[in-house]
């Protein structure tokens, strides 16, 4: 966080924070790599924003140490850390023009007038605000204010940019546009980005890694495909998207995976047999299941009855009940759904061995 | 629409007694004052003409403006500091600040003026104490002059200056201050370049209230000025009850009311009434 123009590497060791008797963050250990785009994902009250505020220096952790490029910065005040920060609601200076807002961090650093002028000009160009230099924040649209906030946070080339739910106030199409823009800014600047959101699709779309929080605990960190396809527990599995869960009995280790009984049929899993031991939950994403007339011998499949369908445009969402009464949702091509519903509703659900994964039975 | 109308009617009914009172007790009698200013002692613009040429009236006007300006500056600055503690301090600090702001409202202006005389006069607490420790040999002239008037008026007006400031500080988004610090600005710099400019409407409102209030001060300057630093309200009193020169007194009143009216109009161009409470 100290050398301008150079992405920072951050190490959090055993960070905890209590507000009175409330434990907002518990024993968090996390490495944030140089130039990475890390998303902190979780529901409200999960501790993700508290961690961001600790990174910024606005909140002092109750325990643990924080290092930036190997230097202990746990006690360093916010103004000396100078991480770029974009707040929810932007927090622009309402009495300053766009130009003055962006120049603020440079003025604080006592840069020369010519350098300020040049860098502010470059930044305004980069975020597409040319022609708006003299306007006050209140005269700008939400998207434009967002750009000013990004420009102001990046103009002094901070080692890390912290973003607290920056898109929560924008409508959907603008959100997509700003997400793309932020991805571009991340590539251009090469700075470390730490981004807080409760929107899992935003997290999966933007990040190089996602850290999932719940109740003050860091549950899992990994690449978007890792946390989506191989969630560490039930909470992560459910938070990242819809998921079908079926009870699995007699789980046994097999070569390159595991086997078990799902509704009296033998099923196979590949690759993740860590949770092996008697009973478990078999979890499969809706888009990984298909509808078939019959499951071949040796193929993963269970019998089910279609009960409802929802047309989604590109696909149809089909709600089914299995023979043992479990509820399952699949996402299938429209004509497959129509055919399934017309055939007396009785179908087979199949899935590839590598797309199912095990979660511990019961609870989290 | 119906609910909206009945709400408006309800508000009008609730405000009517106050309006009626103001019209009967102030507006109507004031019309009489306006009439005097044009008719006493002889009909015409003679009194207004006298205002332009009377050296005493002019010097009192100028003194009043000067005292009001100084009192405004000092009151708003002091109120700003108290308000920062009241709005943004720790819970304990807030209680103490609130106490300091509210207690003066319970003590009458007369009591407070005599209190200041007891403190500031030649044989008052301050002078006798300073002499007893040998800091001064002759008493300082702290009262029966402009200084005494300014001290007394400032003390009276600080609580009034607090409320518009508090309102603007309460509506300020804390994240903007955090943003400034996060961008590298020290607490001091953040205060001067972000916090103070963002409370601008409160400062204007506060200054206007204190200034307008100061222009009409009577008791405090009469007691603490000791007849040597006469302000405009006291001059009007003297012209009505002592000279007696009702026409001139009335003309000064009319000019004062017009001046204050113009200031209020200016104030409401910059600040919405809602921001003053």
């Amino acid at each position: 966080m100290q050398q301008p123009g150079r992405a920072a590497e951050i190490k959090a060791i055993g960070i905890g924070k209590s507000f009175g008797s409330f434990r907002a963050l518990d024993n968090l250990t996390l490495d944030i790599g140089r130039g990475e785009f890390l998303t902190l994902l979780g529901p409200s009250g999960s501790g993700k924003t508290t961690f961001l505020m600790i990174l910024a220096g606005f909140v002092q952790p109750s325990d643990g140490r924080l290092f930036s490029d190997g230097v202990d910065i746990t006690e360093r005040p916010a103004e000396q850390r100078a991480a770029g920060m974009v707040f929810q609601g932007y927090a622009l200076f309402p009495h300053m023009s766009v130009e003055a807002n962006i120049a603020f961090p440079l003025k604080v650093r006592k840069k020369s007038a010519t350098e300020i002028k040049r860098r502010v000009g470059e930044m305004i160009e980069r975020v597409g605000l040319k022609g708006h230099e003299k306007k006050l924040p209140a005269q700008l649209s939400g998207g434009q204010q967002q750009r000013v906030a990004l420009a102001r946070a990046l103009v002094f080339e901070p080692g890390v940019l912290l973003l607290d739910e920056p898109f929560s106030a924008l409508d959907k199409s603008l959100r997509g546009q700003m997400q793309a823009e932020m991805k571009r800014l991340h590539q251009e600047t090469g700075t470390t980005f730490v981004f807080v959101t409760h929107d899992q699709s935003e997290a999966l779309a933007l990040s190089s890694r996602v850290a999932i929080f719940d109740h003050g605990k860091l549950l899992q960190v990994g690449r978007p495909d890792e946390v989506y396809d191989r969630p560490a527990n039930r909470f992560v599995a459910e938070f990242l998207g819809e998921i079908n869960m079926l009870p699995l009995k007699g789980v046994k280790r097999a070569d390159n995976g595991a086997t078990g009984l799902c509704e009296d049929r033998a099923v196979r899993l590949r690759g993740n047999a860590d949770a092996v031991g008697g009973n478990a939950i078999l979890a499969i994403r809706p888009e990984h299941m298909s509808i078939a007339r019959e499951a071949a011998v040796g193929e993963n499949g269970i019998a089910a009855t279609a009960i409802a369908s929802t047309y989604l445009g590109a696909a149809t969402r089909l709600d089914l009940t299995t023979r043992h009464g479990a509820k399952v949702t699949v996402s299938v091509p429209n004509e497959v759904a129509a055919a399934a519903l017309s055939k007396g509703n009785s179908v087979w659900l199949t899935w590839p061995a590598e797309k199912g994964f095990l979660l511990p039975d019961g609870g989290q | 629409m119906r609910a909206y109308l009945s709400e408006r009617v309800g508000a009008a009914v609730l405000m009517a007694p106050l309006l009626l009172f103001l019209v009967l007790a102030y507006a109507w009698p004031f019309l009489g004052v306006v009439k005097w200013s044009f008719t006493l002692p002889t009909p015409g613009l003679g009194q207004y003409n006298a205002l332009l040429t009377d050296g005493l009236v002019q010097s009192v006007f100028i003194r009043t403006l000067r005292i009001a300006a100084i009192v405004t500056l000092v009151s708003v600055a002091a109120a700003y500091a108290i308000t920062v503690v009241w709005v943004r301090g720790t819970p304990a600090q807030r209680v103490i600040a609130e106490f300091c702001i509210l207690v003066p409202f319970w003590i009458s202006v007369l009591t407070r003026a005599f209190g200041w005389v007891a403190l500031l006069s030649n044989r008052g607490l301050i002078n006798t104490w300073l002499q007893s420790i040998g800091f001064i040999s002759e008493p300082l002239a702290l009262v029966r002059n402009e200084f005494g008037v300014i001290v007394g008026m400032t003390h009276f007006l600080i609580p009034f200056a607090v409320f518009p400031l508090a309102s603007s500080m309460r509506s300020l988004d804390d994240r903007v201050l955090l943003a400034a610090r996060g961008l590298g600005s020290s607490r001091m710099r953040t205060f001067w370049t972000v916090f103070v400019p963002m409370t601008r409407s409160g400062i204007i409102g506060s200054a206007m209230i204190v200034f307008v209030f100061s222009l009409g001060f009577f008791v405090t300057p009469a007691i603490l000025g000791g007849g040597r630093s006469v302000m405009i309200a006291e001059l009007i009193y003297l012209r009505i009850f002592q000279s007696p020169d009702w026409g001139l007194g009335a003309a000064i009143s009319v000019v004062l009311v017009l001046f204050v009216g113009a200031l209020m109009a200016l104030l409401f161009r910059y600040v919405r009434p809602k921001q003053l409470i």
Side-chain angles (χ1 to χ4, degrees):
Chain A
M1 296 187 192
Q2 47 277 114
Q3 286 148 300
R6 184 157 174 266
E9 180 181 46
I10 296 158
K11 212 177 192 53
I13 299 172
I15 296 281
K17 178 68 189 176
S18 301
F19 294 104
S21 62
F22 175 64
R23 193 76 176 152
L25 201 58
D26 194 44
N27 193 24
L28 175 128
T29 296
L30 178 64
D31 285 346
I32 305 173
R34 221 178 277 292
E36 117 162 273
F37 194 132
L38 178 78
T39 298
L40 312 178
L41 177 69
S44 43
S46 60
K48 59 189 194 304
T49 303
T50 304
F51 181 53
L52 195 78
M53 292 294 154
I54 288 172
L55 286 178
F58 297 137
V59 170
Q60 266 295 307
S62 317
D63 339 273
R65 309 304 298 175
L66 192 64
F67 297 88
S68 171
D69 293 335
V71 181
D72 189 338
I73 57 160
T74 318
E75 260 106 54
R76 190 180 288 181
E79 60 267 30
Q80 285 167 36
R81 290 188 196 186
M85 174 117 191
V86 176
F87 287 81
Q88 204 173 0
Y90 323 131
L92 300 177
F93 305 126
H95 57 292
M96 292 185 198
S97 67
V98 167
E99 223 170 27
N101 262 283
I102 300 173
F104 185 86
L106 297 175
K107 276 197 180 144
V108 169
R109 285 168 179 72
K110 305 207 161 45
K111 302 289 179 202
S112 71
T114 49
E115 189 186 348
I116 292 177
K117 200 169 152 54
R118 178 178 59 78
R119 284 169 72 173
V120 169
E122 277 171 14
M123 209 64 218
I124 283 177
E125 192 118 1
R126 181 177 269 184
V127 296
L129 282 169
K130 225 168 164 31
H132 300 288
E133 291 90 341
K134 306 288 177 204
K135 287 188 185 162
L136 289 175
Q139 295 168 295
L140 301 176
S141 70
Q144 288 167 336
Q145 292 186 35
Q146 177 70 78
R147 284 159 212 265
V148 178
L150 275 167
R152 186 179 68 174
L154 283 170
V155 72
F156 62 103
E157 302 181 348
V160 58
L161 181 68
L162 308 173
L163 302 115
D164 184 14
E165 308 226 5
F167 305 139
S168 57
L170 300 178
D171 63 52
K172 207 177 163 193
S173 69
L174 204 51
R175 246 179 126 106
Q177 209 180 318
M178 288 309 301
Q179 285 169 1
E181 197 139 331
M182 207 170 64
K183 231 172 167 165
R184 177 178 62 83
L185 284 171
H186 177 243
Q187 276 159 7
E188 281 178 16
T189 58
T191 300
T192 309
F193 276 39
V194 182
F195 178 81
V196 162
T197 185
H198 60 259
D199 181 335
Q200 92 285 352
S201 61
E202 197 165 86
L204 296 174
L206 290 172
S207 338
S208 54
R209 281 196 308 159
V210 182
I212 296 123
F213 288 74
D214 187 43
H215 286 105
K217 287 204 167 33
L218 174 62
L219 301 179
Q220 189 176 6
V221 197
R223 292 194 318 268
D225 59 308
E226 279 172 357
V227 292
Y228 187 77
D229 289 338
R230 294 282 175 260
N233 60 35
R234 194 166 171 162
F235 178 85
V236 175
E238 285 180 314
F239 197 76
L240 287 174
E242 245 184 308
I243 191 139
N244 296 309
M245 289 192 251
L246 299 164
L248 198 61
K249 286 179 190 149
V251 184
K252 280 201 276 299
R253 220 176 256 284
D255 37 306
N256 195 8
T259 61
L261 278 180
C262 178
E263 307 214 334
D264 307 330
R265 259 186 77 99
V267 296
R268 288 183 303 115
L269 296 108
R270 206 167 291 154
N272 68 328
D274 304 338
V276 168
N279 297 341
I281 301 278
L282 171 62
I284 312 148
R285 299 273 176 208
E287 66 275 21
H288 293 151
M289 282 187 137
S290 356
I291 301 276
R293 205 168 293 167
E294 176 65 77
V297 179
E299 191 184 6
N300 292 333
I302 52 170
T305 312
I307 48 174
S309 74
T310 313
Y311 179 69
L312 300 173
T316 295
R317 182 196 141 109
L318 211 51
D319 294 312
L320 308 101
T321 313
T322 65
R323 199 178 286 159
H324 288 203
K327 297 227 178 308
V328 175
T329 299
V330 294
S331 169
V332 292
N334 298 323
E335 60 281 3
V336 173
L341 283 167
S342 67
K343 268 191 323 215
N345 298 355
S346 261
V347 293
W348 281 82
L349 291 166
T350 61
W351 64 92
E354 68 274 12
K355 292 300 186 187
F357 52 90
L358 289 179
L359 296 171
D361 192 10
Q364 301 259 317
Chain B
M1 191 67 203
R2 201 131 152 236
Y4 171 74
L5 266 181
S6 69
E7 204 172 283
R8 298 254 318 217
V9 171
V13 168
L14 288 172
M15 290 208 302
L18 178 65
L19 269 175
L20 193 70
F21 175 76
L22 288 174
V23 167
L24 289 177
Y26 288 93
W28 183 250
F30 184 69
L31 285 179
V33 173
V34 175
K35 198 180 117 200
W36 293 346
S37 74
F38 290 108
T39 54
L40 294 176
T42 52
L45 290 171
Q47 297 303 345
Y48 290 95
N49 204 21
L51 278 187
L52 292 174
T53 50
D54 188 327
L56 175 70
V57 173
Q58 279 169 11
S59 76
V60 171
F61 251 115
I62 287 165
R63 180 187 296 125
T64 305
L65 289 178
R66 181 177 59 232
I67 290 177
I70 296 169
V71 167
T72 302
L73 212 67
V74 180
S75 301
V76 173
Y80 203 91
I82 294 172
T83 314
V84 169
V85 176
W86 187 33
V87 175
R88 311 190 60 87
T90 63
Q93 289 172 332
R94 286 180 198 208
V95 170
I96 294 169
E98 191 158 310
F99 188 74
C100 295
I101 293 161
L102 292 181
V103 164
F105 283 112
W106 305 336
I107 306 168
S108 95
V109 60
L110 205 64
T111 315
R112 286 203 258 166
F114 282 116
W116 278 112
V117 171
L119 276 175
L120 300 174
S121 68
N122 283 356
R123 298 173 68 187
L125 282 175
I126 292 175
N127 273 320
T128 46
W129 179 69
L130 286 176
Q131 279 172 304
S132 74
I133 62 166
F135 195 73
I136 50 170
S137 53
E138 290 298 305
L140 298 171
L142 300 175
V143 79
R144 293 171 72 79
N145 56 18
E146 258 182 58
F147 178 79
V149 175
I150 290 168
V151 168
M153 285 175 65
T154 302
H155 178 231
F156 186 84
L157 287 166
I158 286 172
F160 293 92
V162 162
F163 294 100
L165 292 172
S167 151
S168 71
M169 285 182 204
R170 285 213 177 90
S171 59
L172 194 140
D173 182 357
D174 272 7
R175 283 177 301 192
V176 177
L177 305 177
L178 282 186
R181 287 194 45 224
L183 293 167
S185 170
S186 65
R187 279 169 195 271
M188 236 346 164
R189 194 187 174 106
T190 305
F191 178 78
W192 287 109
T193 59
V194 180
F195 189 81
V196 172
M198 281 179 73
T199 54
R200 185 173 150 270
S201 71
I203 296 171
I204 294 175
S206 177
M208 282 291 191
I209 283 181
V210 173
F211 190 75
V212 166
F213 224 145
S214 311
L215 292 177
F217 255 57
F218 175 71
V219 174
T220 309
I223 294 170
L224 291 167
R228 289 192 216 169
S229 125
V230 174
M231 284 178 72
I232 202 77
E234 198 181 352
L235 185 68
I236 295 170
Y237 171 83
L238 293 173
R239 286 292 166 275
I240 303 277
F241 288 94
Q242 292 187 349
S243 309
D245 189 350
W246 286 28
L248 188 65
I252 301 171
S253 304
V254 171
V255 170
L256 185 61
V257 167
L258 287 179
F259 183 63
V260 168
L263 277 181
M264 295 304 282
L266 201 67
L267 166 65
F268 290 127
R269 275 189 60 181
Y270 289 104
V271 189
R272 275 171 289 128
K274 228 176 145 181
Q275 291 175 312
L276 297 179
I277 341 156

